[in-house]
Amino acid sequence: MPETVTTRSEQETVDFARAFAARLHPGSVVLLVGDLGAGKTVFVRGLALGLGLDPDAVSSPTFTLIQEYRGRPSLYHVDLYRLQGADVDDLGLEELVAGDAIVAVEWAEKLRERPAGAIEVRFADRGGDVREITVGGPGARR
Ligand code: ADP
Ligand code: MG
């Protein structure tokens, strides 16, 4: 069953993601789906906090496709925004996913093959500072 929460500020999304991080294990994959400005990067900042990593390191850099925030476990932050077609498949996501890190992927709808067991988190902008966040996918069971 998908689970939906509504947040009413950036901080509420950070808080939700921070608590959500407790459900993740080494090798967990979180697929983030939603339009520009929907809150995907904000969510990753909350994940970093929840994993004991530096949230200030989390941003949406123009040219970086994959950022690694080192810790136990480390978090790989992947942003597919600027990639198209075959480049998405050539990124080496499989190798990342096979390791002990946690992988969070923005614009995951561009993936042609989704990692097995991934958790999907969908973001919908409901106007103003309201965002509806829905957690689903095969990895979402608690
Ligand atoms: P994305 O990565 O999905 O493109 P960002 O996370 O970079 O989006 O940006 C989300 C923007 O929306 C930020 O400017 C943030 O301050 C704003 N915002 C307003 N309300 C919320 C909310 N409830 N949750 C997350 N972000 C919000
Ligand atoms: Mg982003």
Side-chain angles (χ1 to χ4, degrees):
M1 276 292 277
E3 157 197 1
T4 300
V5 299
T6 299
T7 65
R8 291 183 167 78
S9 67
E10 173 173 337
Q11 186 61 45
E12 282 188 23
T13 295
V14 168
D15 291 344
F16 175 68
R18 183 179 191 163
F20 174 87
R23 299 197 214 173
L24 303 177
H25 314 282
S28 289
V29 181
V30 184
L31 303 177
L32 306 170
V33 176
D35 291 339
L36 198 64
K40 302 179 295 297
T41 300
V42 166
F43 185 89
V44 175
R45 197 170 296 136
L47 283 186
L49 264 173
L51 296 170
L53 306 173
D54 178 10
D56 294 336
V58 178
S59 62
S60 301
T62 313
F63 298 110
T64 314
L65 300 172
I66 304 177
Q67 296 186 96
E68 181 186 7
Y69 315 124
R70 285 179 174 272
R72 285 172 189 269
S74 293
L75 173 64
Y76 285 108
H77 178 196
V78 180
D79 193 330
L80 301 176
Y81 181 55
R82 287 160 202 87
L83 288 192
Q84 310 286 344
D87 289 342
V88 174
D89 304 313
D90 293 343
L91 198 62
L93 201 60
E94 294 75 18
E95 285 97 276
L96 289 189
V97 168
D100 279 346
I102 289 167
V103 183
V105 185
E106 295 194 42
W107 298 97
E109 56 266 55
K110 293 191 173 200
L111 292 175
R112 289 197 262 192
E113 282 194 37
R114 298 185 154 214
I119 304 173
E120 183 179 277
V121 184
R122 292 189 164 269
F123 298 81
D125 187 335
R126 296 298 184 218
D129 290 346
V130 181
R131 303 290 187 275
E132 203 171 275
I133 304 174
T134 304
V135 178
R141 285 183 293 268
R142 281 192 268 185

